[in-house]
């Protein structure tokens, strides 16, 4: 699997250290245009990043190149209350706060019925950076946090098998990079304490398949459906004492359906439903502190106990003038983090649920366009309930509660060059 890894080092270099926890740790929308409508895209392809949401959409966007970047700013905070060790207080995980997420897509109309393309995008990630540490996690005031980035390179082919129906298939070539710091107090609970924390960044490679269908039911109604397989990744060997199954951290499968309705010649409304199967990956879905006795890193070792997430997206696209397209959207995700598991999720506080987006495209010429999108993820708090076990490490941490809080802002810009 590492044979293809040299193909993309320049692309992924810009993604190192990125954090984009919006729908859990997946991004709320792939491509600046999709971000502007709340991440909608299963039945509303808009650019050569369409394969990230529904590969069949590449069959409808023509020959083009799309490139862009999104500035992402998450604000994350933890509050400890009622702790017997005297560690009550507010801890801010924002020493790393500004991130830049690149995107690139290329598509060509190979024949009347076939397109070929590739989409390159950040699939998901998480970053926390507590500069002065979390005392429950280490005793020396050292920096605590994690840094996870996932990048997909997705070669895609589509086939229009009937006049109004298109199938698409992507091969998802995946790259991950991960680092953990400041988890020394979990050493006695780890199956490999030398591979638990402070081992620098580690790399992981893998692959999966993404398939999709797009159907133009009438002139005004389009439906779509998509399934992305679990992406099987090589292990993080430097962190085999942290993640369940000796460092295994696969990308979970997803599926979704979408609809787009052309209400008027100028106005299109669209909606998506997506399910992210976080629970199928043991490192994410296994029980957390209640499972510490099984040993971090073992097959049934502790995870983050995330629930599968249901995501609801709705968006509007309005052709205001021949040269200006306006967008707006809303995205809501079920809370994946349970209130009894907030302590371990200090490292991964993906608790935001509601996102509001706006965007626009300026058509500069028949061949070139510029787009932007702004998204705000509203502040949300998950309050712990029996979240910090009493007693002393490794099975206890002095009791009390850990409360997680986060909000986010994202601003993206992209340029389009049409090739036909």
């Amino acid at each position: 699997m590492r044979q293809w890894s040299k193909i993309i080092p320049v692309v992924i270099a810009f993604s190192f250290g990125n954090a984009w926890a919006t729908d859990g740790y997946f991004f709320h929308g792939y491509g600046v245009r999709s971000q502007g409508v709340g991440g909608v895209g299963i039945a509303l392809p808009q650019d050569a990043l369409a394969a990230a949401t529904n590969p069949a959409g590449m069959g409808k966007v023509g020959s083009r190149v799309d490139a862009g970047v999104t500035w992402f700013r998450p604000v994350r905070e933890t509050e400890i209350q009622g702790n017997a060790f005297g560690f009550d207080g507010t801890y801010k995980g924002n020493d790393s706060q500004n991130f830049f997420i690149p995107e690139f897509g290329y598509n060509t109309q190979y024949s009347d019925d076939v397109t070929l393309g590739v989409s390159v995008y950040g699939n998901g990630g998480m970053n926390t950076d507590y500069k002065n540490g979390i005392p429950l996690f280490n005793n020396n005031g050292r920096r605590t946090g994690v840094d996870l980035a996932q990048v997909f390179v997705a070669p895609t082919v589509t086939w229009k098998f009937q006049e109004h129906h298109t199938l698409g298939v992507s091969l998802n070539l995946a790259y991950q990079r991960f680092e953990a710091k400041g988890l020394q107090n979990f050493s006695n609970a780890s199956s490999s304490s030398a591979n638990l924390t402070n081992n620098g960044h580690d790399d992981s490679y893998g692959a999966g398949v993404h398939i999709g269908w797009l159907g133009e039911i009438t002139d005004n109604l389009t439906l779509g459906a998509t399934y992305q397989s679990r992406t099987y990744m090589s292990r993080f060997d430097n962190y085999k004492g942290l993640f369940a199954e000796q460092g295994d951290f696969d990308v979970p499968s997803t599926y979704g359906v979408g609809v787009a309705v052309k209400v008027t010649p100028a106005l299109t409304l669209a909606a998506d439903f997506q399910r992210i199967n976080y629970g199928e990956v043991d490192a994410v879905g296994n029980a957390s502190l209640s499972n510490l006795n099984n040993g971090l890193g073992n097959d049934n070792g502790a995870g983050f106990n995330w629930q599968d997430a249901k995501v609801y997206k709705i968006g509007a696209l309005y052709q205001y003038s021949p040269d200006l397209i306006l967008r707006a959207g809303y995205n809501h995700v079920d809370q994946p983090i349970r209130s009894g598991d907030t302590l371990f999720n200090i490292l991964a506080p993906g608790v935001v649920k509601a996102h509001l987006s706006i965007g626009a495209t300026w058509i500069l010429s028949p061949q070139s366009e510029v787009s932007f999108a702004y998204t705000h993820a509203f502040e949300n708090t998950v309050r712990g309930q029996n979240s910090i076990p009493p007693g002393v490490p490794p099975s206890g941490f002095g009791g009390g509660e850990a409360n997680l809080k986060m909000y986010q802002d994202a601003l993206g810009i992209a340029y389009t060059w049409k090739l036909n």
Side-chain angles (χ1 to χ4, degrees), residues 211-274:
I211 60 175
W213 162 77
L214 196 66
E216 296 169 315
I217 308 305
T218 70
D219 290 343
N220 299 320
L221 175 64
T222 301
L223 301 178
T226 181
Y227 171 77
Q228 181 171 287
S229 74
R230 180 170 175 169
T231 305
Y232 291 90
M233 306 296 297
S234 60
R235 288 183 168 89
F236 287 119
D237 293 331
N238 291 347
Y239 294 96
K240 64 183 180 181
L242 173 60
F243 291 133
E245 299 184 303
Q246 298 80 49
D248 189 55
F249 200 93
D250 292 342
V251 182
S253 64
T254 69
Y255 61 84
V257 293
V259 57
V261 179
K262 196 167 188 178
V263 180
T264 72
L267 176 64
T268 298
L269 301 179
D272 288 355
F273 167 79
Q274 180 188 31

Side-chain angles (χ1 to χ4, degrees), residues 18 31 74 116 130 143 162 187 206 214 233 257 301 317 395 400 413:
N18 283 347
L116 302 174
Y130 298 91
R143 188 183 300 267
Q162 290 184 1
S187 294
L214 196 66
M233 306 296 297
V257 293
L317 184 152
S395 59
I413 185 168

Side-chain angles (χ1 to χ4, degrees), residues 136-179:
L136 291 174
F137 290 1
N138 69 75
N139 301 321
N140 50 24
R142 292 182 180 176
R143 188 183 300 267
T144 300
V146 299
D147 185 28
L148 170 69
Q150 294 178 342
V151 179
F152 276 18
V153 178
T156 302
V157 58
T158 73
W159 172 47
K160 187 170 69 173
F161 64 96
Q162 290 184 1
E163 183 178 0
H164 301 295
H165 296 272
T166 302
L167 291 176
V169 179
S170 297
L171 174 63
N172 287 340
L173 303 175
Y175 168 84
Q176 296 184 129
R177 175 172 157 132
F178 177 78
E179 181 181 25

